[in-house]
Structure formats: structure tokens, C-alpha cells
Amino acid sequence: MERLIFTAPLAGLISLTFAAFFAKSILKEDAGNKRMKEIAEAIKEGSTAYMKRQYRTIAVVSVIISLLILFLLDEGLKMAAGFLAGAISSAAAGYIGMSISVRANVRTASAASGGAGKALKIAFRGGAVTGLAVIGLALLGTSSLYILYGDADLVVGFGFGASLISLFARAGGGIFTKAADVGADLVGKIEAGIPEDDPRNPAVIADNVGDNVGDCAGMGADLFETYVVTSLAAMLLGSLIIGTYKNAVLYPLMLGSAAIFASIISVFFVKVEKEGKVMSALYRGVGGSTVLSLIAFYYITGFLMGDSRFFYVTVAGVVITVLMVIVTEYYTSKSCRPVKTIAASSETGAATNIISGLSAGFESTLVPAVVIAAGILVSYFIVGGSADPGTGLYGIAIASVAMLSTAGMIVALDSYGPITDNAGGIAQMANLPAQVRKVTDELDSVGNTTKAVTKGYAIGSTALGALALFADYRNKVSLESQSISLDSPVVLSGILLGAVLPFLFSAVMMSAVGKAAFEVVNEVRRQFREIPGIMEGTAKPEYGRCVDIVTKAALHDMAMPGFLAVIIPLLTGFFLGPEALAGLLTGLIVVGFMLALMMDNGGGAWDNAKKLIEDGYYGGKGSEAHRAAVVGDTVGDPFKDTAGPALNSLIKVVNMVAILFSPLIIGGGFL
Amino acid sequence: MERLIFTAPLAGLISLTFAAFFAKSILKEDAGNKRMKEIAEAIKEGSTAYMKRQYRTIAVVSVIISLLILFLLDEGLKMAAGFLAGAISSAAAGYIGMSISVRANVRTASAASGGAGKALKIAFRGGAVTGLAVIGLALLGTSSLYILYGDADLVVGFGFGASLISLFARAGGGIFTKAADVGADLVGKIEAGIPEDDPRNPAVIADNVGDNVGDCAGMGADLFETYVVTSLAAMLLGSLIIGTYKNAVLYPLMLGSAAIFASIISVFFVKVEKEGKVMSALYRGVGGSTVLSLIAFYYITGFLMGDSRFFYVTVAGVVITVLMVIVTEYYTSKSCRPVKTIAASSETGAATNIISGLSAGFESTLVPAVVIAAGILVSYFIVGGSADPGTGLYGIAIASVAMLSTAGMIVALDSYGPITDNAGGIAQMANLPAQVRKVTDELDSVGNTTKAVTKGYAIGSTALGALALFADYRNKVSLESQSISLDSPVVLSGILLGAVLPFLFSAVMMSAVGKAAFEVVNEVRRQFREIPGIMEGTAKPEYGRCVDIVTKAALHDMAMPGFLAVIIPLLTGFFLGPEALAGLLTGLIVVGFMLALMMDNGGGAWDNAKKLIEDGYYGGKGSEAHRAAVVGDTVGDPFKDTAGPALNSLIKVVNMVAILFSPLIIGGGFL
């Protein structure tokens, strides 16, 4: 039984091998004509340059933090080494995601001339490379470090490294992609009246770079972190009940290994036999990995835990995933009420479009909150309940680990979106025949849905995972402190401080996007004014200037949120004590969950309301309603692609800070 | 000492007498020419008709609920009688506010031809009538019932009645006023290009009615309820420490009585000596009542409590008020960064205007959260702390009672706004000379600031008051239940459910406004189309149709939120138990506080960003930036005047439900 643990790093390595294998098969494909290669090269250069500068900035921060860990904590060396390993692995996950995307995009565009089938295969396998690399690295890192250190508590440094880098990647990438996107749209589509991805727009390369560094790299780092941190939470809670369930630490790692094999097999399920069935092909992949995982979970549970109740908990986790996906689809799909209402209200102008979009976003928090509340109650009471709260909390953690069973596929789906988006952009810029663009548009429209759906998944798994982390924190400080009761004004003020963090953080993110987009607009206006011949297509715009502007803005503006995420929990712990910090974590998790839902779903709904009008409803493209819907879509961009996703990382970073530094915080507080 | 308690109802009666005296002095003023009287009559008729229908609906609900109370609770008769008394008093407070406003408006317009001095006096005294009536009724009702029943616990019914009616009034009035306003603006200002308050707009009377039934009546009911519920929370917590401080129940009532006298005296401080000093005249009133109250608090504390630490707590309450006012001014004032940023970002269109407005709203939650967190810690630790938590919680309640010392003035300031707004509308519609409109505009621009500031005050006092209510609930259920610890998944799921309520509630409110505004737009478009001569001024629009549309919408859409506010806490308590309900209250208070801040401040900032542009900055009136700013202002309308203020009532209703029905909930929960 002891040796079984080596399955986990082995599964991680196998996953990485398959990722490499798929990557190689993609690189063999045709990269298109000279013009396409040129464009793809420009996107690749911009992306690589940004990623390098982003990681250089992060490296400085990481070294400082690892020194702090080294000197402040017991076992500082192991913790600091773990932190650096986590940071480097997260960076690697992001870098791999970006690298494959900037190569798959042009090959997808090239294959699209032969129809949807092959283009889908390339785009999806490009996503699968990122997916398998992310979960492979995550399981490899977590399990190796656990084998090496022999103590789950010492793996916390690894988790902290992963989540801190993911916060930076989400914040920086999110600001980059949306500042470029909003800037390009405002001046190109609205002012100059040129289509999206038009090569005459000086911000067009920055916009395409943004897809890769924001969505692909950012999502990669984010899900890497979710995977690591969630498994870790289960291992930590498992180590407390090892007296009753001796494999409680091993169990989550084995569930993760099984899910990896299920994901690898399911990649082969995704192919289009008939035209126009792209979405069902993709769902076949997700469904396949879910079913295969559940079968494996059944046997693993029997073998390791000898208690079928844990299997029901994994089923609960899978059910939560399914429900989160359904809710997200409902709120963001063109065929359901919310998007239709927003589109209809665009007929009376931008103001009513915004009001109904915000209202839909607000409303969309209801079902997920009930689902997560029910999920934690069910998981807790199935295996433990008040008679055995320790096992109950472990049950919550196992449900969130079960949610990860689809993580590989989810990352694949999410990375698929920007690849097809880029492919469309390249087709447009390279003046490929309209029929090519039609194929990439078909693939891309599905990409919008998958992106929205994966966000719903990410939020749900974050909420559940964070509650498990909170239980870990609670255990770490409970030894020397009193009960964390809602009676206490100290706890209540902690909750208030925690609740304000997501609002503050979103404000910073959104105003960063607003400011940088404003600069992009001015630069584009300047180029239109000062470089004659751009609009006629006789002169080439200076694409690099716009890339530069958003790069600087992203690097500059990601620093403060990252700093706040580390320093605020520490200050709260030191000055107000561990109870206040517990309150802060609670407020942060709950409010962060709500705001992330509201922003992601609201943003997705606005996006698709615009698309519904473009499909010819409510006046169609070019109507007043369409102009109003473009406003909503532009507001939704930083909601769904900057602030919303970054909140997930924020929630986990702050929890990891609390857990990591809990030894210093115990006994803190001057009250 | 025992007899001292009769001071409270006496003070209430004196306050009502002064309200009547001021009302009489206003009615003596000149009500303008025939045309003005006609217009004022139309507004009055519309307002009275709406209020009657609103109260008829509420009466049905109230009778049902009082029957439930009668049969379900111990001492049901006293509770039900109290409930009805609270409901009727709240309705009276709202009705008085509406009645005086619809009379003061036209007299203010008439007086404005003689300069700002007299017009300000009439408008402010109109507001003061509402202010003194509200606090007079509140203190009279609360203290009389306490004297009659001899037990603070039995006064809870009165508080519940007050808060339930206030929720209906806020929700119904808020939907009415903003549906009319948004509808009138969308089709009048944006489509037809006619100015605000133009008599050719068929929705113009509905818009002016809205100011009276939404802002005056709604605010009156809201502050009545805040006053009652906050005093009650202090009395309930006071009854628990009566062993140590024998006057702990009497003390909050005496503070309230002192504040009433301070408010009456301060009404006379408000007069304009020189032109253009309107705001400082108003602040003199608020400052006067604060200083006089504090002096009285010092002596009352010495006399009743013999412990000067309670005086420091009242000072803390006043400091919280001042800080909340400063923060609100900062975020909504034309001379500070947030509004300037929003105005500047309007230059790149509606989307960036919305992004920066939302971002400002999000950011504006930070300082208030810190202020309230610090406020509860300071109040708790000054008088009690962990050594004496009961007195500490009472300290928090006393700080919130001290915040009420300015309530009369605050209501006066808030009601002043709609009166001047209406006066401007009447001047416009009656074609009075431009110079008259200039005077009313000057008064009105101050009205916008005072409305924003009073909202900041209302949110702060709600948060602090609600935390005191929460402590009451906690005491009521603690006897038979375990500690309410954040460890428990039951508590955590309660927090999640509570956190989702404000989002759900805001979604319902906003979409109600959106839908009704849409209907108004269609009706106005129809009238423009079908009634020839409207635009030329030769035919009169059918004003009544628009009033009808918003009346129906308001009555229809206020029902569901009110129902949810009562039923959800009951279901949570019954099925998940008292701990889950405690979690729900916490989540509701914290998230409701954040969202209310975000909506009120964001809405105020959008409003003033538009005004700043209209002052000639960033392109001025009629520019692209101005068009973008109008979009922001329209989005902000349901934020700041419908959903935001109604959240305050929601928070307290749910808390009152929990306290009132706590005997039924103890022992609830199937887990």
C-alpha cells in the first residue's frame, strides 16, 4: 500500500508525456502561407516578450518572499524550497499554455480551409496540451514533494507559491488582454468603423497577444493552483483523521491520478463526425472523463477507504460541477431568458442594457450559492456530521477533489477558445477566403460558451476548495485559541474586512483596465492621425507601441493586488488576532464567490446578448440596439476576463497566506 | 428616576407639535399662480392616489401577518397589537412626509422669485416637518409601548411592523420613482431632445410624483424604522445588563429625547444670510444638533449611568457619522477624484464611463467597512471587552443610538432635496422666468449632495444597528443552542444564503425598474405618435397613463421582495436551525452593507459626473462625453434610489423576523 503513492508522480509524468506527444503532432501541421506566418510570428513575439517580462517581475517578488519564509518559519528551508518549486511550476504551466497556443492558432487557421473537422482537432489538442501539462505538473509536484518531505504540512509552501504566481498571472494577463481588447474595440469598431481583427487597427496584435497571455497562460496558472491547493487541503485534513482512515492522505492523490488517466483517454473522444456538432464533440470529452473518473473513484474508494460513503461524496462533487455548468449555461446562453432580456432591453439604449445585464449578474448568484451551501452540508453530513466533524470537513475537501476530476478537460476547453479566436483573427488579417473565416467563427462561437462554462466550474471549485482550506486554517489556530464565534465583535470586524477585499480588488483591476484602454485609444488615434495611409492599407501601423502600452500597464498594476493579498491577512492576524483572520477568510470566500459569479455571468451574458443581436435579432448588426449591446459587452470584458477570474486566485492566495503563517499569528492581536 | 421615562413620549409629542407648527407656517405661504397650482394639484393627486393604493396593499399583508403573530407566538395579542401600531405609525410617517412635500414644493417655487433666502426656508422647513414627525412618532411609539407593556421584548412587534412597512415603502416607492424617472429621461431627453421637466413629456408628472412617494415618503418610513429598531436593540441589550447598570433600558430613550430637543432648536439655525451659502446653512443645522446632543449626552450619561465610558461610546457613534458623511462626499462630490475620473472617462464613451463608475462604487466600500469595523471594536472594548461581553455589545448599540442624534436633521435634509427638485419642475412646467429656475437649481444642486450624504448616514447606522440586532438574536437563541462557530458547515451555509439575499433582492428591484421604464417609454412613444400637437404644445399629454403604469408596476413588484424577506429567514431557521439563521443574518448584514454602499455611492458619482460635464467640463452639455454620462446617470438611478436604499430596510426586516420568531426557531433544524 505504501508504494501506491508512487502512482501519483508517475501519473503526472505520463500526463506530461502525452502533452508532449500532442504538442509534437500539432507542430507537424501546416503553418499556412507567408502572410499568416508573419502574423503568427508577431503574436508569438509579443506574447513571449510579455511573459518574460511578467516572470522577471514575479521572480523578484518570489525571491523576497522565499527569504521571508526562510527566516520567519520553522522548517523555513523546506518551505522556501517548496514555495520556489510551486512558483516555478506555476510559471511553467502558464508558459506551456501560451507557447502551444501561439503555435496552434495559425495551424488551426490553416486547417480551417479544409473544413471544421481537422481545425477542431488541432485547436482542441492545443488546449489538451495545456490541460494535460497543468494537471500533470500539479500532481507531479504535489505528490513528489509529499514523498520527499513525508509531511503534508510542509507542502503548504508549494501551494502558496502556486497560488501567488497564479494571482499575478491572472491579474497581469487579465489587465493585458482586456485593456488591449477594449482599447482596440473602442477606437476601431466604434470610432473608425473597421471590423474586429482588422490589420489596419494598430491595437490588433496586442489584442491577439492578450488572448494568449490572459486566457491561455492565466487560466493554466489558475487551474494549476486550484489543483494543487485543493489536493493539499484534502491531504492536510486527511492527516488529521489518519487514525480512523489510514489512507486519508493517499486517497486524494489517487483520485487525482485516476482522473489524469480518464482525461488522457477522453481527449481521443473529441472529434467531429458531422458538421456543426462542435459543442457536442467537446461535451463528449468532458462527459467521458467524468464517467471514467467516477468508475475509477468507486474502486479506489473501496480499496483505500473501505467506506462507500466517500464514493457518494465524490459523486456529490461531480453533481456540483454539473449544476454549476448548467447554471452558467443558463445565464450566458443565447437561447435562455437572461441573454434574451438583455438583448431586448438594448432596444431602449445602453442604459437599459447595462441595468438588465447587472441585474442578470446579480441574480445568477442565487443557484450557485444554494448549490455550494447544499454541497458542503451534504458532503459534511454524509461522512461525518456533528458526531465526527473532522471527517465531515475532510468530506468537503474530497468533494472538491472530485470536482477536479474534470480539470484537465476544463483547461483544454478553456484554452481551445483563445486558439480559435486567434485563428479567426489570423484568417481575417491574412485575408483568407470568407469560407475559412466562417469555419473559425463556428469554432469560436463554441469557444465563447466553453469559456463561460469553465469559469462557472472554476468558481465552484474555488468556493468548495477554499472552504476546505478554511477548515485547515481553523485547525492550525484552534490549538491555542478559543472558538471562532460569530458573537465576537473581533470575528465580525474580520468578516467586514474580508468582505471588502473582493470589492477593493475588483475596483483596482477594473480601473487598471480602464486606464490602460484609455491610453491604447489615444495611441491608436495618434497613429491614425500621424501615419498617413493606414486606413487605405498602404502603410503598416506600429503594432509594437500598443503591445508596449498594455505590457507596462499590466506589469505595473498587477503589483498592488498581489501585495495586498499577502499583507492584509498578515496585518489582520498580527494586530487583530487569529479569530479576526478567520473572520476575514470567511468574508473573503463568501463575498469573493458572489462577486466572481456576478462578474463572470454578467460579462458572459452581455457578450452573448451582443452576439444574439448580431445574429439578426432585435434590429441586427448596425442597429441602435447593437450599438447599445456593444457598450454592455465592453463593460462585461473586464468583468469576466479580468476581475472575475482574478478573484478566484485572490481567495486562495489569502487562505494560503493564513495557513502558511499561522504559527506566527497564533497569539497575535492586541485586543 | 422611574418617572423620567415619561420624558420620552413627551419629547415625541413636543416634536410632533413643532412639526405641526412648521407645517402650518408653510401652508400660509403663497402657492403661486393658477398654472402652478394646477401642476402642483396634479402631482399631489398622483402622489396621494399612489400612497393610498400602496397602503391598501400593505394593509392586507399586515393583517395576515398580525394574525400569524397572534396565533403562533406567546403573548401574541400584545405582539400583534404592537406590530399593527408599528405598521400604522410607519405608514403615518411616510404619509406626513409625502403630504408636506407636495405642498411645500409649489410654495418654494413661488418664493424663489424673491431670491434663495425665503425659498430655502420653506423647502428646509418642509423637510423639517418630516424629520420631526418621523423622530417624534418613533420615540413616542417605542417609549409608550414600553411603558404600557413594561418589557422591551414585547416591543419587538412594534419594530417588526415598522421595518416591514418601511421595506414595502422603500421598494414600492423606489420602483415608482425610478421607473418614471428613467422612462421620462430615455424617451424625453435622449430620443425627443426635450429638456427635463418639460410639460410636453407625458411622463413628467409621474416623474415628479415619484420624488414625493419615493424619496420623501420612502425615506420617512425608512428612518422611522431605523430609529425604532436601533433604540429597541439598545433596550433589549440593556435589559440583560440591568443588574450592573440599572438604567440601561432607560438610557437609550433619554438619549433619543435629548436629540429631539437638539433637533428642534437646530431647525432655527438654518437660514441663508448671504447668497450662495446654502450648503453651509444646512450643515449648520446638522452641526448644531450634533453639538447640542453631545452636550446633553454628557450630562445624561453621568446622571443615568454614572460611567463616563458610555459618553465616549456616544462620541464614537458621532465620529462614525462624521466619517461616513466625509467618505460619501468624497465619492460623490464634483470636486474630488472619483467623479472627475468618471467624467473624464466619459470622453471615450458610455462603456468606459460605466466601468469607471462601477469601479468607484466598488472602491467606496473600503473606508466605510474599516470605519464600521473599527467602530464596533472601539464601542465594544471601551465599555466591556472580553471580560464583560454583554456590556460590550450594549456599547455597540449605544454607539448606534448616538448616530441617531442627527436623524431628525438628516431626514429634513433628505426631504429638502425632492421638494426643491419638484419646485424646479413646477417652475419649468409653469414657464416661470429663468431667474426663478436659477434659484431652484441652486437649491436643488445642494439637494443632490444632501441626498447622497444622508444615504451614507443611513447605511452606516443600519450596519451598526443591525449588528446590535444580531447580538439580540444571538442572546435569544443562545439559551438552548450551542456556540455559533465559523467551524460549522451549517453556519457557513447560512452565511452563503444570507450573502446571496442582497444580490437577489437588488436583481429583482433593478429588473422591476427596467421593465416598468420600458413600458413608460412605449407609452410615451405612443402618445407622441397618436396625439397630434403634443410637441408643439397645443395638445396636453395624458399624464395619468404614465402614473398608472408605474403605480401598477410598483405595487406588483414590491410584493415579492417583502415576501422573501419574511419567508427565507423563517425557512432557514426551521429547516437548518438557529445557527444557520445566525449565519444568514451575518452574511446578509455584511454583504447588504457592501452592496448598498457600492450602489449608493456609484449612483451618486455617476449623477454628479454628468452634472460636472453639464457645468462645461470635458466637452460640456450635448457633447459625446455628455451622452455617455447620461447613460451612467441612468444606470445609477435604480442603484442609488431603488435597490441601494431598500437594502437597508431588507437587512433590518430580516433581523426583526429572526428576533420575533426566535422562540419558534430554537430547536429547529433537521441536521
Side-chain angles (χ1 to χ4, degrees):
Chain A
M1 199 71 102
E2 280 300 299
R3 286 214 192 136
L4 209 59
I5 195 156
F6 290 99
T7 319
L10 191 68
L13 284 173
I14 291 174
S15 187
L16 289 171
T17 312
F18 269 90
F21 164 75
F22 288 133
K24 224 173 149 188
S25 82
I26 290 169
L27 291 180
K28 267 192 268 172
E29 300 290 339
D30 176 43
N33 62 31
K34 182 162 163 286
R35 175 88 186 110
M36 289 164 73
K37 280 181 190 147
E38 261 176 40
I39 297 164
E41 190 56 36
I43 297 174
K44 192 166 80 181
E45 260 176 35
S47 307
T48 317
Y50 172 72
M51 293 292 278
K52 280 196 182 142
R53 287 178 65 174
Q54 176 175 293
Y55 287 145
R56 210 176 306 145
T57 310
I58 294 177
V60 177
V61 180
S62 301
V63 170
I64 296 172
I65 291 185
S66 59
L67 289 175
L68 283 178
I69 295 175
L70 187 63
F71 292 113
L72 288 179
L73 295 177
D74 290 346
E75 298 274 16
L77 188 62
K78 282 181 179 171
M79 286 287 202
F83 171 80
L84 287 177
I88 291 167
S89 309
S90 167
Y95 198 83
I96 293 171
M98 184 277 295
S99 300
I100 190 69
S101 296
V102 297
R103 288 170 175 89
N105 56 8
V106 65
R107 290 168 173 84
T108 303
S110 172
S113 57
K118 193 165 174 207
L120 170 73
K121 192 176 152 189
I122 296 178
F124 177 73
R125 295 237 162 143
V129 171
T130 311
L132 294 177
V134 162
I135 58 176
L137 277 171
L139 195 60
L140 178 64
T142 313
S143 58
S144 308
L145 227 64
Y146 176 65
I147 294 171
L148 200 67
Y149 291 168
D151 181 355
D153 276 329
L154 295 176
V155 188
V156 169
F158 186 74
F160 178 50
S163 57
L164 189 65
I165 295 339
S166 121
L167 177 65
F168 281 121
R170 269 300 194 193
I175 293 170
F176 188 113
T177 179
K178 288 302 127 173
D181 189 7
V182 171
D185 284 358
L186 281 178
V187 75
K189 274 202 263 187
I190 300 180
E191 280 186 22
I194 53 179
E196 183 141 4
D197 292 321
D198 193 293
R200 290 172 294 178
N201 190 332
V204 71
I205 294 291
D207 188 7
N208 278 283
V209 168
D211 291 341
N212 294 298
V213 302
D215 296 335
C216 291
M219 181 71 180
D222 185 355
L223 262 281
F224 171 80
E225 173 249 10
T226 302
Y227 202 100
V228 169
V229 162
T230 308
S231 320
L232 185 58
M235 291 161 68
L236 289 169
L237 289 170
S239 67
L240 300 173
I241 57 164
I242 214 149
T244 325
Y245 298 96
K246 67 178 166 39
N247 294 316
V249 181
L250 182 60
Y251 181 54
L253 289 173
M254 290 305 105
L255 295 179
S257 308
I260 279 194
F261 293 115
S263 300
I264 293 172
I265 295 170
S266 308
V267 171
F268 294 96
F269 292 173
V270 178
K271 55 181 70 139
V272 188
E273 273 109 35
K274 273 182 257 163
E275 284 295 305
K277 293 278 181 191
V278 177
M279 197 67 214
S280 60
L282 293 173
Y283 273 146
R284 203 155 51 234
V286 179
S289 79
T290 310
V291 172
L292 290 177
S293 295
L294 275 181
I295 295 172
F297 289 176
Y298 179 78
Y299 291 104
I300 292 174
T301 305
F303 186 62
L304 289 181
M305 306 298 280
D307 182 341
S308 61
R309 291 180 305 167
F310 287 99
F311 173 66
Y312 302 132
V313 169
T314 66
V315 173
V318 171
V319 171
I320 293 172
T321 304
V322 172
L323 291 176
M324 292 297 293
V325 167
I326 291 174
V327 174
T328 316
E329 272 236 38
Y330 174 74
Y331 279 98
T332 57
S333 151
K334 283 191 276 188
S335 46
C336 296
R337 181 189 54 80
V339 169
K340 282 182 190 165
T341 307
I342 297 173
S345 67
S346 310
E347 289 189 302
T348 40
T352 36
N353 167 287
I354 298 289
I355 291 175
S356 61
L358 286 170
S359 165
F362 282 168
E363 189 193 298
S364 75
T365 59
L366 174 63
V367 179
V370 174
V371 166
I372 296 292
I376 59 177
L377 289 177
V378 166
S379 324
Y380 179 80
F381 283 99
I382 283 182
V383 293
S386 15
D388 183 4
T391 308
L393 294 175
Y394 179 71
I396 296 177
I398 290 301
S400 62
V401 169
M403 282 192 81
L404 294 179
S405 61
T406 44
M409 272 292 152
I410 293 281
V411 177
L413 283 190
D414 201 77
S415 310
Y416 160 91
I419 292 174
T420 57
D421 196 356
N422 256 253
I426 292 171
Q428 177 90 22
M429 286 188 267
N431 290 314
L432 295 191
Q435 161 250 357
V436 175
R437 176 78 201 199
K438 208 178 141 269
V439 170
T440 61
D441 273 355
E442 187 199 337
L443 297 178
D444 188 25
S445 80
V446 174
N448 271 309
T449 311
T450 61
K451 268 178 67 180
V453 163
T454 54
K455 271 174 202 141
Y457 167 83
I459 297 174
S461 71
T462 293
L464 214 57
L467 288 171
L469 285 180
F470 175 69
D472 284 326
Y473 168 76
R474 183 64 192 89
N475 282 319
K476 291 231 182 303
V477 297
S478 70
L479 304 167
E480 315 191 16
S481 106
Q482 320 134 314
S483 137
I484 300 173
S485 169
L486 281 180
D487 297 73
S488 154
V490 175
V491 173
L492 284 174
S493 29
I495 295 180
L496 269 170
L497 295 178
V500 91
L501 278 183
F503 282 98
L504 177 63
F505 192 79
S506 304
V508 173
M509 297 274 94
M510 292 210 305
S511 75
V513 170
K515 261 187 298 178
F518 189 78
E519 285 177 53
V520 171
V521 167
N522 284 333
E523 169 63 21
V524 172
R525 282 178 182 166
R526 186 196 66 78
Q527 293 198 20
F528 279 154
R529 205 171 50 233
E530 295 180 5
I531 306 177
I534 287 190
M535 288 303 282
E536 295 73 33
T538 54
K540 222 176 134 184
E542 298 168 3
Y543 299 121
R545 298 288 287 263
C546 291
V547 175
D548 238 37
I549 288 174
V550 284
T551 300
K552 277 189 194 129
L555 294 178
H556 179 266
D557 292 331
M558 75 179 184
M560 181 51 78
F563 176 74
L564 290 178
V566 177
I567 205 72
I568 289 182
L570 287 180
L571 290 179
T572 305
F574 288 138
F575 289 108
L576 299 178
E579 290 89 358
L581 184 51
L584 182 142
L585 296 179
T586 311
L588 168 66
I589 294 171
V590 171
V591 175
F593 174 63
M594 299 288 158
L595 267 192
L597 285 166
M598 177 264 208
M599 293 191 158
D600 285 353
N601 292 334
W606 269 315
D607 191 349
N608 275 337
K610 186 195 69 176
K611 294 226 160 68
L612 185 62
I613 292 176
E614 286 172 353
D615 289 349
Y617 298 92
Y618 306 102
K621 218 163 177 164
S623 64
E624 273 302 315
H626 185 242
R627 253 187 294 283
V630 169
V631 171
D633 181 39
T634 312
V635 173
D637 270 341
F639 263 43
K640 71 177 170 22
D641 292 319
T642 310
L647 286 178
N648 286 342
S649 304
L650 174 74
I651 291 173
K652 280 170 292 183
V653 171
V654 174
N655 272 284
M656 292 308 296
V657 170
I659 292 178
L660 186 64
F661 292 99
S662 55
L664 302 179
I665 288 165
I666 293 174
F670 62 84
L671 298 174
Chain B
M1 199 73 101
E2 279 301 298
R3 288 214 192 135
L4 209 60
I5 196 158
F6 290 99
T7 319
L10 191 69
L13 284 174
I14 292 175
S15 188
L16 289 171
T17 310
F18 269 90
F21 164 74
F22 288 133
K24 225 174 149 188
S25 81
I26 290 169
L27 291 180
K28 267 190 270 174
E29 301 290 339
D30 176 44
N33 62 34
K34 183 164 162 287
R35 174 89 187 110
M36 288 165 73
K37 280 180 192 150
E38 261 177 42
I39 298 164
E41 191 55 37
I43 297 174
K44 191 166 81 180
E45 261 177 35
S47 306
T48 315
Y50 171 73
M51 293 291 279
K52 280 194 183 143
R53 288 178 66 174
Q54 176 176 293
Y55 287 145
R56 211 176 304 143
T57 310
I58 294 177
V60 178
V61 181
S62 301
V63 169
I64 297 173
I65 291 185
S66 58
L67 288 175
L68 283 178
I69 294 175
L70 186 63
F71 292 114
L72 287 179
L73 295 177
D74 289 345
E75 299 274 15
L77 187 62
K78 283 182 178 171
M79 286 287 202
F83 170 81
L84 287 177
I88 292 167
S89 308
S90 166
Y95 198 83
I96 292 172
M98 183 276 295
S99 299
I100 190 68
S101 298
V102 296
R103 288 169 174 89
N105 55 7
V106 64
R107 289 168 174 84
T108 303
S110 173
S113 57
K118 195 167 172 203
L120 169 72
K121 192 176 153 189
I122 297 178
F124 177 73
R125 295 236 164 144
V129 170
T130 311
L132 294 177
V134 162
I135 57 175
L137 278 171
L139 194 61
L140 178 64
T142 313
S143 59
S144 308
L145 229 63
Y146 175 64
I147 293 170
L148 200 66
Y149 290 167
D151 181 355
D153 276 328
L154 295 175
V155 187
V156 169
F158 186 74
F160 178 51
S163 58
L164 189 66
I165 295 340
S166 121
L167 177 65
F168 281 121
R170 269 300 194 195
I175 293 170
F176 188 113
T177 178
K178 288 303 124 171
D181 188 7
V182 171
D185 284 358
L186 280 178
V187 75
K189 275 202 263 187
I190 299 180
E191 280 185 22
I194 53 179
E196 183 142 5
D197 292 322
D198 192 294
R200 291 171 292 177
N201 191 333
V204 71
I205 294 292
D207 187 7
N208 278 282
V209 168
D211 291 340
N212 294 298
V213 302
D215 295 335
C216 291
M219 181 70 180
D222 185 355
L223 261 282
F224 171 79
E225 173 250 9
T226 302
Y227 202 101
V228 169
V229 162
T230 308
S231 318
L232 186 58
M235 290 161 69
L236 289 169
L237 290 170
S239 68
L240 300 173
I241 56 164
I242 213 149
T244 324
Y245 297 97
K246 68 179 166 38
N247 294 316
V249 181
L250 182 61
Y251 179 54
L253 289 173
M254 290 305 106
L255 295 179
S257 308
I260 279 195
F261 293 115
S263 301
I264 294 173
I265 296 171
S266 308
V267 171
F268 294 97
F269 292 173
V270 179
K271 54 180 72 135
V272 188
E273 273 110 35
K274 272 181 257 166
E275 284 295 305
K277 293 278 181 190
V278 177
M279 196 68 215
S280 61
L282 293 173
Y283 273 145
R284 202 156 51 232
V286 180
S289 79
T290 310
V291 171
L292 291 176
S293 296
L294 275 181
I295 294 172
F297 288 176
Y298 179 78
Y299 290 104
I300 293 174
T301 306
F303 185 62
L304 289 181
M305 306 298 280
D307 182 340
S308 61
R309 291 179 305 167
F310 287 99
F311 174 65
Y312 301 133
V313 169
T314 65
V315 174
V318 171
V319 170
I320 292 173
T321 303
V322 173
L323 291 176
M324 292 297 292
V325 167
I326 292 175
V327 173
T328 316
E329 271 236 37
Y330 174 74
Y331 278 99
T332 57
S333 153
K334 283 191 275 189
S335 46
C336 297
R337 181 188 55 79
V339 169
K340 283 184 189 163
T341 307
I342 297 172
S345 67
S346 309
E347 289 189 302
T348 40
T352 36
N353 167 287
I354 299 290
I355 291 175
S356 61
L358 286 170
S359 164
F362 282 169
E363 189 193 298
S364 75
T365 58
L366 175 63
V367 178
V370 174
V371 166
I372 295 294
I376 59 178
L377 289 177
V378 165
S379 323
Y380 180 79
F381 283 99
I382 283 182
V383 294
S386 15
D388 183 4
T391 307
L393 294 174
Y394 179 70
I396 296 176
I398 290 302
S400 63
V401 169
M403 283 191 80
L404 294 179
S405 62
T406 44
M409 273 293 153
I410 293 282
V411 177
L413 283 190
D414 201 76
S415 309
Y416 161 91
I419 292 174
T420 58
D421 197 355
N422 255 252
I426 293 172
Q428 178 91 22
M429 285 187 268
N431 289 314
L432 295 191
Q435 161 248 358
V436 174
R437 176 79 201 198
K438 207 177 142 268
V439 169
T440 61
D441 273 355
E442 187 198 335
L443 297 178
D444 188 26
S445 80
V446 173
N448 270 310
T449 310
T450 62
K451 268 179 66 179
V453 163
T454 54
K455 272 175 201 140
Y457 166 83
I459 298 173
S461 71
T462 293
L464 213 57
L467 289 171
L469 285 180
F470 175 69
D472 284 326
Y473 168 75
R474 182 63 194 89
N475 282 320
K476 290 231 181 306
V477 298
S478 70
L479 303 167
E480 313 190 19
S481 106
Q482 320 135 313
S483 137
I484 300 173
S485 170
L486 282 181
D487 296 74
S488 154
V490 175
V491 173
L492 284 173
S493 30
I495 294 180
L496 269 169
L497 296 178
V500 91
L501 278 183
F503 283 98
L504 177 63
F505 192 80
S506 305
V508 174
M509 296 274 95
M510 292 209 305
S511 76
V513 170
K515 259 187 299 179
F518 190 77
E519 283 177 56
V520 170
V521 167
N522 285 333
E523 169 63 21
V524 173
R525 281 178 181 165
R526 186 196 65 78
Q527 293 199 20
F528 279 154
R529 205 171 49 234
E530 297 179 5
I531 306 177
I534 286 192
M535 288 303 281
E536 296 73 31
T538 54
K540 224 177 132 182
E542 298 168 3
Y543 299 123
R545 298 288 288 262
C546 291
V547 175
D548 239 37
I549 288 175
V550 284
T551 299
K552 277 190 196 129
L555 294 179
H556 178 266
D557 292 331
M558 75 178 184
M560 182 50 79
F563 177 73
L564 290 178
V566 177
I567 205 72
I568 289 182
L570 287 180
L571 290 179
T572 306
F574 289 138
F575 290 108
L576 299 179
E579 290 89 359
L581 183 51
L584 181 141
L585 297 178
T586 311
L588 168 67
I589 295 171
V590 171
V591 175
F593 175 61
M594 299 289 160
L595 266 192
L597 284 167
M598 177 263 207
M599 294 190 157
D600 286 352
N601 292 333
W606 268 315
D607 192 348
N608 275 336
K610 187 196 68 175
K611 293 224 161 68
L612 184 61
I613 293 176
E614 287 173 352
D615 290 349
Y617 299 92
Y618 306 103
K621 219 161 176 164
S623 63
E624 272 302 316
H626 185 242
R627 254 188 293 282
V630 169
V631 172
D633 181 39
T634 312
V635 172
D637 270 340
F639 262 43
K640 71 178 171 20
D641 292 319
T642 311
L647 286 178
N648 285 341
S649 304
L650 175 74
I651 291 174
K652 280 170 294 183
V653 172
V654 175
N655 272 284
M656 291 308 296
V657 171
I659 292 179
L660 186 63
F661 292 99
S662 54
L664 302 179
I665 288 165
I666 293 173
F670 63 84
L671 297 173

